[in-house]
């Protein structure tokens, strides 16, 4: 699979987790790997107090040393490189790097203090999930010690729904499954994404009928020759449903961006945010419009 993966790297546990997932995805998908450290740009500093050149050189030198150390941990069969970028925000620097390198994914780690093996969004991830033009992959806390880089992508699961962007999500999931050799699974959380105020009977009806219908339509709309297993999530809430679904070692899950997102941008929806509370595998959030689309439908949120 052509393309590359950009990892938002820092010399922290979160950076190590992002590196572990990024390297595993790069190997599993046959992509190159770019580790990017983003430092504050000169425009963010106080103009009345010019920075000392020695300090500038020290910070840049330290960042390059961190990158060399991190790159030494990546298996030799993965094409990789390290980069130092200056930008007003870490997220903006990653998006710019992703666009520069033609990245298929931007990978970031969980926030400090996250429960081992679970997700917790930090400020960088949150900003990316509300502005990136490129799909964002979220690493689980502890990935650096819990995940082997040579673990294959065993299955790609797509959480399908009825909102705009479902076709883009299915195409991306099918593409990743084909590139990795993993199985493709479609799950529906539609029964839990309903207006407030519905009684239990109405919710049950949606769960039993509409959810199955969504899965059938999604499976039928897959690219020619692509097969997938389908599974209807059941439970009293999104979190409960995710907790009761079976998950494999090496699995990744894809979700679509919220309907509130602008064209070719991400915006994390409420259902995806709830999934993160219980999800034991990496999540990839996909923009609901392709980068080549020239649609303005997102302006009508």
């Amino acid at each position: 699979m052509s393309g590359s993966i950009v990892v938002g790297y820092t010399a922290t546990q979160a950076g190590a987790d992002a590196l572990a997932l990024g390297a595993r995805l790069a190997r599993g998908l046959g992509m190159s790997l770019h580790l990017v450290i983003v430092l504050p740009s000169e425009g963010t500093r106080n103009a009345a107090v010019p920075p000392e050149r020695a300090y500038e050189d020290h910070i840049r030198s330290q960042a390059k040393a961190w990158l060399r150390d991190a790159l030494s941990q990546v298996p030799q069969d993965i094409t990789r490189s390290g980069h130092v970028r200056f930008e007003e925000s870490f997220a903006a620097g990653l998006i710019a790097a992703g666009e520069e390198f033609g990245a298929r994914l931007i990978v970031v780690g969980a926030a400090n203090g996250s429960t081992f093996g679970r997700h917790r969004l930090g400020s960088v991830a949150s900003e990316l999930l509300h502005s990136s033009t490129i799909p964002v992959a979220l690493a689980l806390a502890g990935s650096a010690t819990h995940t082997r880089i040579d673990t294959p992508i065993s299955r790609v699961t797509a959480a399908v729904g009825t909102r705009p962007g479902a076709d883009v999500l299915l195409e991306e999931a099918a593409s990743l499954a084909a590139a990795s050799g993993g199985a493709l699974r479609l799950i529906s959380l539609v029964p839990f994404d309903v207006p407030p105020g519905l009684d239990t009977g109405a919710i049950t009806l949606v769960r039993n009928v509409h959810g199955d219908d969504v899965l059938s339509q999604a499976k039928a709309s897959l690219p020619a020759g692509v097969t997938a297993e389908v599974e209807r999530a059941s439970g009293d809430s999104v979190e409960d449903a995710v907790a009761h679904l079976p998950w494999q070692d090496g699995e990744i899950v894809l979700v679509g961006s919220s309907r509130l997102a602008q064209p070719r941008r991400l915006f994390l929806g409420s259902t995806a945010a709830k999934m993160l509370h219980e999800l034991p595998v990496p999540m990839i959030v996909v923009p609901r419009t392709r980068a080549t689309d020239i649609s303005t439908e997102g302006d009508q949120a």
Side-chain angles (χ1 to χ4, degrees):
M1 188 176 191
S2 61
S4 65
I5 292 174
V6 163
V7 171
Y9 187 73
T10 55
T12 64
Q13 182 61 51
D17 292 340
L19 172 60
L21 176 60
R24 186 168 76 85
L25 292 175
R27 169 176 272 176
L29 297 171
M31 295 184 180
S32 58
L33 190 67
H34 297 281
L35 270 62
V36 178
I37 288 181
V38 181
L39 301 176
S41 66
E42 292 184 2
T44 64
R45 301 188 183 105
N46 187 343
V49 184
E52 294 184 9
R53 180 59 182 271
Y55 179 75
E56 289 268 354
D57 292 343
H58 171 72
I59 293 298
R60 187 191 296 269
S61 177
Q62 179 63 75
K64 289 182 177 180
W66 286 331
L67 285 172
R68 286 194 298 271
D69 181 63
L71 289 170
S72 69
Q73 302 172 42
V74 180
Q76 293 295 316
D77 62 318
I78 298 176
T79 301
R80 71 266 195 223
S81 60
H83 312 269
V84 178
R85 292 290 184 267
F86 291 87
E87 188 54 76
E88 292 186 6
S89 78
F90 202 97
L94 292 181
I95 294 171
E99 293 174 344
E100 175 186 347
F101 298 130
R104 294 290 298 269
L105 291 170
I106 294 176
V107 184
V108 291
N112 291 334
S114 302
T115 302
F116 186 85
R118 288 292 185 268
H119 294 276
R120 182 184 177 192
L121 298 182
S123 58
V124 173
S126 294
E127 187 176 349
L128 282 172
L129 291 175
H130 291 88
S131 61
S132 180
T133 56
I134 299 166
V136 173
L138 304 172
L140 295 166
S143 295
T145 55
H146 181 68
T147 302
R148 291 175 55 90
I149 291 177
D150 59 359
T151 300
I153 299 173
S154 60
R155 183 166 65 183
V156 177
T157 288
V160 299
T162 59
R163 293 176 175 176
D167 57 334
V168 179
L169 177 66
L170 286 174
E171 289 178 13
E172 186 69 10
S175 177
L176 293 180
S180 66
L184 178 61
R185 177 175 68 157
L186 308 180
I187 62 171
S188 173
L189 295 171
V190 171
F192 312 105
D193 192 15
V194 296
L198 289 184
D199 60 28
T200 303
I203 293 177
T204 300
L205 179 62
V206 170
R207 177 180 295 126
N208 292 336
V209 179
H210 193 38
D212 287 340
D213 186 51
V214 167
L215 286 172
S216 297
Q217 291 181 32
K219 188 174 183 179
S221 64
L222 286 170
V226 176
T227 60
E229 59 180 298
V230 296
E231 190 158 353
R232 188 181 67 202
S234 60
D236 296 327
S237 64
V238 171
E239 294 90 341
D240 187 42
V242 170
H244 284 88
L245 281 169
W247 301 99
Q248 297 181 359
D249 289 338
E251 185 165 4
I252 57 175
V253 62
L254 273 67
V255 299
S257 182
S258 165
R259 69 183 184 280
L260 299 177
Q262 296 296 311
R264 299 176 298 281
R265 294 292 189 277
L266 289 182
F267 193 96
L268 189 66
S270 60
T271 300
K274 292 174 182 176
M275 288 179 68
L276 283 173
H277 296 161
E278 291 293 337
L279 197 64
V281 300
M283 172 187 277
I284 298 175
V285 186
V286 180
R288 68 181 182 86
T289 49
R290 302 173 185 83
T292 55
D293 284 349
I294 312 179
S295 169
T296 58
E297 62 176 350
D299 296 329
Q300 304 172 7

